[in-house]
Amino acid sequence: MSAQLGDNGIPDSHYIYRPDGLITANDLQKAEILIFEVSNSYNAPDAAEKVFDHCKAMFGSLSMLLTLADNYAEATFATFSKLKVHFVLAHGNAIEHWSMSTQYPGFYAMQMEQRVTVPDSFADKNVFLQPFICFFMTLAAACEETLSVLAELNEEHTANTRSNGTQQSLTKLMDPTIIQLNKVKHAPIDTDQGPQSGPASPDHD
């Protein structure tokens, strides 16, 4: 996010987004593929903190997509549309896995992939342990798929750069608005207004 804020004329280090955790692909220009946020301590849910972290990670995910578009600007949008970046949020007694992708230029979709309860009782191991393990196996598989798409983007970018391809640059197709949220200013607004589905969504409350 700091790179994208800098590109938008906000280079101040005060605005650098520091997630609680980050997974990068060191073999692919240290591409950021997953953000991790923890909202408060275990089993102590804080609605304002959860929603603020969710909104913060949404802009972080947009920044990740835009930076990847910059890194592989000469790859095709058809391949880029297969790319998902990930966000994991721990809050209360649960962990959520979200992803963000772009299916069409200018359209960005963030969706919950899975949610699991964190087991805290040995007596309940037969109920909660298997779903907990499956959650992280599924998350690992999703990250592997992201790496596979990144490798494909890297190959396309390299080939098209060498051949002076004429397709439109991914950077020009990706134009999300990236902002840095301020917790004191935005947390009360975020708690009242999000996250929620759009009015046209069948899941809208």
Side-chain angles (χ1 to χ4, degrees), residues 124-173:
D124 295 329
K125 66 181 184 302
N126 292 334
V127 177
F128 294 112
L129 188 56
Q130 183 176 354
F132 189 72
I133 294 173
C134 289
F135 177 94
F136 285 99
M137 291 180 66
T138 302
L139 178 61
C143 289
E144 288 180 357
E145 177 62 24
T146 295
L147 293 176
S148 176
V149 176
L150 284 176
E152 190 175 350
L153 287 169
N154 186 49
E155 290 180 4
E156 289 185 350
H157 173 76
T158 301
N160 289 334
T161 300
R162 289 173 176 171
S163 64
N164 294 317
T166 59
Q167 75 278 352
Q168 189 170 9
S169 168
L170 285 178
T171 302
K172 294 181 179 179
L173 293 174

Side-chain angles (χ1 to χ4, degrees), residues 89-105:
L89 174 65
H91 66 94
N93 67 344
I95 304 176
E96 296 175 356
H97 167 206
W98 295 75
S99 70
M100 178 172 283
S101 60
T102 175
Q103 302 302 310
Y104 307 97

Side-chain angles (χ1 to χ4, degrees), residues 71-91:
N71 290 346
Y72 305 111
E74 301 306 317
T76 65
F77 188 82
T79 300
F80 195 81
S81 67
K82 298 187 295 183
L83 180 68
K84 287 184 177 182
V85 294
H86 306 276
F87 161 48
V88 174
L89 174 65
H91 66 94

